[in-house]
Amino acid sequence: MKVTFIFPFILSCFYLMPTIAHSAEKLTIVATEYEPFTSSKAKHNGFVNRVIKAAFEKKGYDVQFKYRPWKRALIEGHDKFDGVSFSFTNKEREEEYLFSVPISEHREVLFHLKKTNIPDWNTLEELKDFKFALTRGYTYTEELWDLVDKKVINSDIIASDISNFKKLAAGKVDIFPMDEITGWRIVSSELPVAKDTLTIHNKPLRSTTGHLIISKKHKKSAELIKAFNEGVKELKDSKVYDDFLSDLYKGIF
């Protein structure tokens, strides 16, 4: 009777042990809609979020994503979430957040109507006769925001990329700076009739990189960034990152 009782107990413990041993620490990352890099509608939640999840999994973390508008994501990233996906390089933001190693590359360009003649330019001040559409909370460049603050450049600032493209297509603004890949994705999916009327200037506003950011207020910020950076390195060393990048260029996101 004793053996009959003890054996099932030992057997049940045996099956429970692997589950306990491999229990991953859960992380919640706040993200925004920025296809094809991060989106609740995209496969794998987009390229950047696929990298974030896979890199953390390499280090024993289980990641889930919650979506918020960009400005709200930055605010709630300080106390409600374990990180924010994702941010371009930003000196001002680096005062409040730790930035990971680069996980994506971006070319911000000036979208405009084909019929609008945007001249070759060296400084943005040379474009002061044009009205810019800008999305609230975005980085762009210090030069651009400085000219906007000084009212040298006339701008219309709202919270939606899609609405900015609609204004551009309607001729209510002249220029909309946007990541090249994301911009054309929005136009193709949301404003296909405007695709043939829009173009980009041959000179980019800037080239930059994308990063996971974690608030310095997070008690484990340094530990998490270190683990994530190591995970990214492992993805790149094993060529998995290259496979993800290939999928990005194929358009699966």
Side-chain angles (χ1 to χ4, degrees):
M1 290 292 291
K2 290 182 179 178
V3 173
T4 304
F5 174 76
I6 293 173
F7 181 73
F9 175 75
I10 294 174
L11 191 62
S12 65
C13 289
F14 175 78
Y15 281 113
L16 284 172
M17 283 176 65
T19 303
I20 296 170
H22 292 85
S23 178
E25 181 177 343
K26 296 187 182 299
L27 299 175
T28 305
I29 305 296
V30 63
T32 193
E33 297 291 341
Y34 200 77
E35 291 187 80
F37 300 101
T38 164
S39 174
S40 59
K41 300 174 288 185
K43 190 172 183 178
H44 303 294
N45 285 274
F47 169 75
V48 164
N49 286 348
R50 189 183 191 185
V51 172
I52 289 173
K53 186 172 180 65
F56 270 128
E57 283 179 348
K58 286 281 186 183
K59 311 311 292 183
Y61 294 93
D62 179 27
V63 174
Q64 65 174 343
F65 297 96
K66 298 292 185 182
Y67 287 83
R68 301 286 189 273
W70 178 238
K71 285 291 286 184
R72 185 177 168 191
L74 286 176
I75 293 170
E76 295 186 357
H78 282 300
D79 54 12
K80 292 187 178 180
F81 297 99
D82 298 302
V84 180
S85 173
F86 66 112
S87 174
F88 292 163
T89 52
N90 183 306
K91 291 181 180 178
E92 202 173 280
R93 202 166 291 148
E94 286 175 7
E95 295 177 6
E96 299 180 342
Y97 286 90
L98 294 181
F99 276 60
S100 74
V101 294
I103 52 178
S104 57
E105 295 183 355
H106 303 267
R107 184 172 179 261
E108 282 188 300
V109 296
L110 304 182
F111 281 85
H112 63 88
L113 288 170
K114 289 179 179 178
K115 66 180 182 181
T116 304
N117 182 27
I118 306 296
D120 292 335
W121 54 278
N122 293 311
T123 66
L124 286 171
E125 190 168 356
E126 296 171 34
L127 302 179
K128 63 183 179 181
D129 293 331
F130 299 93
K131 187 173 183 178
F132 280 65
L134 301 174
T135 301
R136 189 174 296 114
Y138 280 11
T139 302
Y140 301 122
T141 65
E142 291 183 13
E143 179 190 10
L144 177 55
W145 281 121
D146 183 56
L147 292 172
V148 169
D149 290 341
K150 292 177 179 177
K151 302 190 183 307
V152 173
I153 281 183
N154 183 18
S155 65
D156 189 356
I157 305 171
I158 60 175
S160 168
D161 294 327
I162 296 173
S163 295
N164 272 329
F165 268 117
K166 287 179 178 178
K167 289 190 300 181
L168 182 64
K172 295 180 179 179
V173 293
D174 303 305
I175 295 172
F176 179 36
M178 186 71 182
D179 173 84
E180 185 174 9
I181 294 177
T182 301
W184 284 123
R185 174 67 67 88
I186 291 173
V187 172
S188 296
S189 61
E190 303 292 338
L191 295 165
V193 294
K195 189 173 182 179
D196 292 336
T197 67
L198 296 173
T199 188
I200 59 174
H201 194 275
N202 57 4
K203 179 176 180 176
L205 177 64
R206 66 166 178 165
S207 294
T208 186
T209 50
H211 307 255
L212 168 72
I213 59 174
I214 298 179
S215 174
K216 292 181 179 180
K217 295 179 180 179
H218 195 295
K219 62 182 180 181
K220 296 175 66 177
S221 58
E223 177 185 332
L224 291 175
I225 282 289
K226 181 176 182 294
F228 178 74
N229 289 345
E230 291 173 354
V232 171
K233 184 177 186 304
E234 290 178 25
L235 291 178
K236 290 185 175 182
D237 288 346
S238 64
K239 306 301 181 183
V240 171
Y241 178 88
D242 292 341
D243 292 339
F244 291 176
L245 201 58
S246 177
D247 285 343
L248 172 65
Y249 295 144
K250 290 176 183 174
I252 76 154
F253 300 104

